[in-house]
Amino acid sequence: MTVSNVMNGKPGASEETRRRVLEVAGRLGYRPNVSARNLKGGRSGLIGLIALDLTSQYGLEILRGVADELADAEQELLVNASYHDAAREKDRVEFLGRGLVDGVLMIAPVLEDETVKLLRRQNLPCVIIDPRRLEVPLPRLSVDNYHGMRQGTQHLIDLGHTRIAYIRGEEDLESTSVRFQGFEDAMRLAGLKVDPRMVASCDFSYASGFRTATQLISEHRPTAIVAGADLMALGAVDAARASGLDVPSEFSVVGFDDLPQAAQSFPGLTTVRQPLHDMGQKAARALLSLIEGQKLLMEHMEVGTQLVIRNSTAPPRRGAEG
Amino acid sequence: MTVSNVMNGKPGASEETRRRVLEVAGRLGYRPNVSARNLKGGRSGLIGLIALDLTSQYGLEILRGVADELADAEQELLVNASYHDAAREKDRVEFLGRGLVDGVLMIAPVLEDETVKLLRRQNLPCVIIDPRRLEVPLPRLSVDNYHGMRQGTQHLIDLGHTRIAYIRGEEDLESTSVRFQGFEDAMRLAGLKVDPRMVASCDFSYASGFRTATQLISEHRPTAIVAGADLMALGAVDAARASGLDVPSEFSVVGFDDLPQAAQSFPGLTTVRQPLHDMGQKAARALLSLIEGQKLLMEHMEVGTQLVIRNSTAPPRRGAEG
DNA sequence: CTGTTAGCGCATTCAA
DNA sequence: TTGAATGCGCTAACAG
């Protein structure tokens, strides 16, 4: 009817009628039904976001970026968590793909081959943020982990540290190896060698960072630690303190991510900043293009990092190094 | 058709047919369209959650509870943020009410009268978690702020503190006054009087807690601070440290909430635990009943708190008190 | 047990 | 400029 046109702000309705329609609609509290509109239009106005969980600040910063970008796009966000479980992740994709959403954003997904196939079969636009495997055959956005970590390590080297320990993140992410490569190369190019006993693996948590750092400190007496993620770095700061070392005067720590906690901790954490909010925006923008039916200029987008120097790093104490 | 019955696992279809249908469906990758089903059924299978923002752990812990409860209910969660803005909050309610969701959960909403009316008019089931005004005429779930804070304060009194400062939260929440009342009564009943200069207002952030505590400490030399929220308490811990006081040997801090950070901070924060996860579950369960058309047993549900003693509190140093 | 009919609320198309 | 018809994909109710 004409009502439809009026409600959607289309032309083709006299002022008089338009006014009358709006008046009645207001009086009755009429609102267009979303399901019906979607059924007709073949779109739901919803974007699915599959995050690892709903608690890590890492994912939430990205989420904020996505939400900000979507705010102007008349698309709402349906948030799901996979809880690091490949089966659940696939289930979520399957569910969202039943026409519930127009496209999907995934943060650091496991992305088994089966799941990739499912996405293709359902013809569901999808952008991967921070993929675990860089060559996954889907549009994706990743961070320049290599140069980021190289720069973070270089900062410690410039301060005069030589006994630098490294805490790796989870091993099933390629980024863990790429970051470590950046660390190794920075060390090597500075003429320092990496003692394999001063390198430890760890999940991304504060607790495991604390544990691992405590052990590294007591066994090998580094003067600084580089961690592959902020939470582990914050754990390392507290581990140093618990071991009786002041940060930064007696022990330095560099993180990676620049989560909100990094700025709020005491002392502020020196870290390599991933532009998480930007990443969310960029990925959302790409997904919107895909939904509009456009092709992406690049299947693989990459964003840069930035060293943020705060107060968890300082030159080593005299005599402590070497 | 029979297909529909088969797909929905209803009886009334021979094994033979059922098998054939499923086979073909599988081969074609057929999935029932959600919009169409919703249009027909008048339900969307979606629950809207309107949080203040997507970054505070407070809201996220509740969200997790909600998500856990909904996992078994075949309802998905549509997450929205109001960014503390009454207009945006109302807009979100209006939007979700267009048939997009079957019900709404709101966390600490502003909830202007207009918004309440809108909810009623749209006949949208709704449960408020942690309402700003306790008597808002909607089903709601709140925390026993009074006894919680009384208990937290009593803990410091029991340790021997007498010069106890208090940091209030935002003033537009009734809980801020209720918690303060608990503090005041605990003090009064212990024969201690509350020095108004040792009471300060503050927003709920770490930064404002840090600032406020720094000032309280330098001007009035309390031996302990009670904060109306964990983030402010964590700010107070760091403020004490920055003022040269060791926590807890020289200065004690009690928080309120028991966010994940409280356990992770160094030293662990003594705090009054709100069962945030439970609250999310409970509210979600109540909302599901409402959606099923059942009446709630109580319009106003209340949950209790629990004192969690960690390492940010200890007896005052000799001679420091009084 | 299976197939047919109708209608959920909207927007597109075409006719008046 | 307006109104009537049609169909999106599904399911409830019924007829075969």
Side-chain angles (χ1 to χ4, degrees), chain A residues 55-58 167 202-210 227-238 253-262 269 271, chain B residues 261 264:
Chain A
T55 51
S56 84
Q57 288 300 115
Y58 176 77
I167 302 182
C202 188
D203 66 37
F204 283 114
S205 72
Y206 170 93
S208 78
F210 188 99
D230 275 357
L231 289 182
M232 303 189 298
L234 292 170
V237 167
D238 285 345
V253 177
V254 170
F256 198 105
D257 283 340
D258 196 26
L259 302 184
Q261 291 99 306
L269 183 70
T271 190
Chain B
Q261 291 99 306
Q264 280 194 2

Side-chain angles (χ1 to χ4, degrees), chain B residues 79-154:
Chain B
V79 182
N80 271 258
S82 66
Y83 300 109
H84 303 78
D85 174 9
R88 185 164 165 83
E89 178 179 297
K90 185 170 157 221
D91 174 76
R92 295 334 294 167
V93 169
E94 200 276 313
F95 177 79
L96 295 177
R98 295 183 188 182
L100 224 204
V101 299
D102 301 329
V104 172
L105 248 21
M106 302 179 81
I107 301 179
V110 179
L111 221 50
E112 290 177 328
D113 290 345
E114 271 298 305
T115 313
V116 176
K117 265 186 223 154
L118 194 60
L119 283 162
R120 303 211 106 94
R121 183 140 44 85
Q122 293 182 137
N123 206 11
L124 191 60
C126 178
V127 174
I128 310 294
I129 300 169
D130 197 9
R132 298 194 181 207
R133 295 168 295 148
L134 290 176
E135 13 47 76
V136 67
L138 287 169
R140 61 206 179 280
L141 173 69
S142 56
V143 168
D144 186 354
N145 291 296
Y146 174 79
H147 287 99
M149 195 51 105
R150 214 171 123 173
Q151 201 182 357
T153 307
Q154 189 62 47

Side-chain angles (χ1 to χ4, degrees), chain B residues 1-2 13-14 17 39-40:
Chain B
M1 337 190 186
T2 310
S14 69
T17 323
L39 177 56
K40 187 68 181 147

